[in-house]
Amino acid sequence: SAWTISFYPQVVLNWQRQSVVGMSFDFVALNVLGYMCYSAFNASLFWSSQVQREYAAAHGGSRSAVEPQDVAFAIHALVLSLITLVQIAV
């Protein structure tokens, strides 16, 4: 939960100051890309039966360790990173 909460101070600070001075567009854009990939990875391992079958076949029949909280964190991180990116772009 600490990782989840860690996204909020920057978003709130940007909103309070009405400024994103010092923030790197490239850094946040790469975070968005990373969390898009991480979300797709976790979501597919969690929800796709085809991906689950392929994972099991490649790993000696074992299940993926992806849990609901992994999917929730990845999507949450993506959303907050997108909000930060919009704050920079506007």
Side-chain angles (χ1 to χ4, degrees):
S1 75
W3 286 109
T4 302
I5 294 168
S6 72
F7 289 90
Y8 286 93
Q10 188 65 58
V11 171
V12 171
L13 183 63
N14 293 346
W15 181 77
Q16 286 174 339
R17 292 186 314 174
Q18 296 295 302
S19 172
V20 291
V21 171
M23 295 217 48
S24 167
F25 177 84
D26 293 344
F27 176 77
V28 177
L30 288 172
N31 268 344
V32 168
L33 177 61
Y35 284 121
M36 286 173 69
C37 293
Y38 189 51
S39 295
F41 170 82
N42 280 325
S44 62
L45 274 171
F46 187 72
W47 281 307
S48 172
S49 57
Q50 176 64 32
V51 172
Q52 291 168 0
R53 283 192 299 274
E54 290 177 16
Y55 182 91
H59 294 90
S62 64
R63 286 189 56 228
S64 162
V66 174
E67 299 287 333
Q69 63 269 20
D70 299 319
V71 178
F73 168 77
I75 294 170
H76 177 265
L78 174 59
V79 169
L80 268 292
S81 295
L82 281 168
I83 290 170
T84 305
L85 190 65
V86 167
Q87 287 178 325
I88 293 171
V90 176

